[in-house]
Amino acid sequence: MEGWEKTREWLFNMEDTDIKIASHRGKFSSSVIENTSLAFLTAVGEGADMVEMDLDLTKDGVLVGHHDKTMRRLFSVDGEISGYTWDEIQKMPLINYLGEINVTGLETFQEILDSLKGKTLIALDKCWDYWDEVYEALAGRDMLGQAIFKFPVKNSRAAEWAERHGDCMFIPMVKEAEHLEAVDGLRKRAVIPAVEIVPRKESDSIYADSVFVWLKERHMKVWCNSLSLARRLVYGAGYDDLKSLALGGDEGWGVLAKKGVDIIQTDWPAEAAAYLSGIGRRGREGRHF
């Protein structure tokens, strides 16, 4: 059994209390660009159990790895990916994280899939408007089993699509406990091994102990981000990557682990993996905290 298959099996095993790591857009810095094969493979090499990627659709219908609504950050233009053909985008200079013109550019979803086939689970975010195209690309490579489709639970169109595709896995994203009712209804008609909670602070309803109990009783694991992206963007109820790196894992990732989080999405897969291994939460099936 390959590594990704073991991770997939773990998703449905509520007795296994290992914590898995999802790498946010892969491991990227300087000239290694987010949402590219190199970023994803580097993250897997650093210990990520799955990679989270974002997709966009070009004017001529090519799926590419790209996150932002506009191209301002990576291309210094205000246009959107949908306003350009793939050929045009390939000819545009991409600005790396050092503010320099990069050697490489974006990649197509097909290129990314070819590099990840048989290597890791793929969590697909911010592409629910193109799920038909995504599904076709995955099915054509016999990779549906490697993919997890993420979407905001309030997106009724995505929920309806999930109901029609029993051969796919889904992770709804939920910000408030009152929206768990929609998850409960959907899980009876779609494959939902986990739910992503999005708490900004400890007092948020979605971060209550009762929510964790409710999800686990219904055989769904808990995904939570520990990202430190900006002052205005708070994830993991504040127990984030920055706190973990600056003060030690016990102050960030460890809090999420004790709370009952099963999947931590991070920008620091190697550091998170080392910490979780140190507290016995990786590689020991059935171990309890």
Side-chain angles (χ1 to χ4, degrees):
M1 184 181 293
E2 297 187 76
W4 73 268
E5 293 174 308
K6 292 179 181 178
T7 303
R8 180 188 169 100
E9 186 178 83
W10 168 89
L11 274 173
F12 296 93
N13 181 0
M14 300 305 294
E15 299 302 315
D16 189 336
T17 58
D18 269 5
I19 294 176
K20 300 300 183 185
I21 293 172
S23 177
H24 176 236
R25 308 185 201 176
K27 180 65 177 180
F28 54 94
S29 182
S30 58
S31 293
V32 179
I33 303 302
E34 65 198 63
N35 285 310
T36 62
S37 299
L38 182 56
F40 295 132
L41 291 174
T42 300
V44 173
E46 290 192 357
D49 303 289
M50 58 190 81
V51 296
E52 180 261 6
M53 75 172 65
D54 311 283
L55 297 173
D56 215 335
L57 194 67
T58 68
K59 185 177 182 179
D60 53 339
V62 177
L63 285 167
V64 299
H66 184 255
H67 173 273
D68 299 355
K69 180 175 176 58
T70 75
M71 301 168 69
R72 167 57 52 185
R73 183 167 59 91
L74 293 182
F75 292 92
S76 293
V77 297
D78 290 322
E80 299 181 10
I81 291 288
S82 60
Y84 298 89
T85 66
W86 174 234
D87 185 61
E88 289 172 333
I89 291 169
Q90 287 180 288
K91 295 175 181 176
M92 298 172 67
L94 185 149
I95 309 302
N96 67 20
Y97 306 102
L98 301 176
E100 301 288 344
I101 295 176
N102 207 48
V103 176
T104 61
L106 301 185
E107 290 183 343
T108 68
F109 186 42
Q110 293 183 350
E111 290 172 322
I112 295 169
L113 288 181
D114 288 342
S115 72
L116 297 183
K117 185 173 175 61
K119 295 176 182 173
T120 187
L121 282 187
I122 303 166
L124 298 157
D125 195 6
K126 297 196 74 173
C127 63
W128 40 81
D129 291 333
Y130 324 119
W131 275 0
D132 287 336
E133 292 87 348
V134 170
Y135 180 94
E136 182 179 350
L138 289 165
R141 285 166 174 74
D142 193 26
M143 291 179 67
L144 285 173
Q146 277 184 248
I148 308 171
F149 294 75
K150 293 175 60 181
F151 69 100
V153 70
K154 294 192 293 183
N155 186 329
S156 58
R157 182 170 173 267
E160 291 169 2
W161 195 96
E163 292 178 11
R164 300 194 304 271
H165 291 80
D167 52 351
C168 299
M169 296 184 292
F170 300 90
I171 295 183
M173 296 178 279
V174 185
K175 293 184 178 180
E176 299 174 11
E178 64 186 73
H179 297 139
L180 290 173
E181 184 178 349
V183 173
D184 200 24
L186 183 60
R187 74 182 180 89
K188 299 168 185 176
R189 301 184 296 275
V191 181
I192 301 178
V195 168
E196 178 180 333
I197 62 170
V198 190
R200 289 179 55 86
K201 52 187 183 297
E202 285 190 294
S203 59
D204 285 356
S205 62
I206 198 62
Y207 195 67
D209 290 339
S210 57
V211 167
F212 286 75
V213 172
W214 187 92
L215 289 169
K216 306 275 174 97
E217 286 179 344
R218 287 159 179 78
H219 303 282
M220 292 180 286
K221 296 201 172 187
V222 180
W223 171 308
C224 187
N225 294 344
S226 65
L227 308 176
S228 306
L229 301 182
R231 184 175 296 178
R232 65 181 177 85
L233 298 172
V234 180
Y235 294 99
Y239 299 107
D240 59 15
D241 288 344
L242 186 59
K243 185 170 287 186
S244 300
L245 295 169
L247 303 178
D250 287 345
E251 302 300 318
W253 300 318
V255 175
L256 297 179
K258 288 181 179 180
K259 185 71 175 181
V261 172
D262 303 290
I263 305 167
I264 295 177
Q265 178 171 296
T266 176
D267 282 321
W268 301 88
E271 290 78 4
Y275 171 75
L276 292 170
S277 294
I279 63 171
R281 296 304 300 274
R282 286 179 67 76
R284 298 192 180 189
E285 184 171 334
R287 183 183 177 95
H288 293 276
F289 197 87

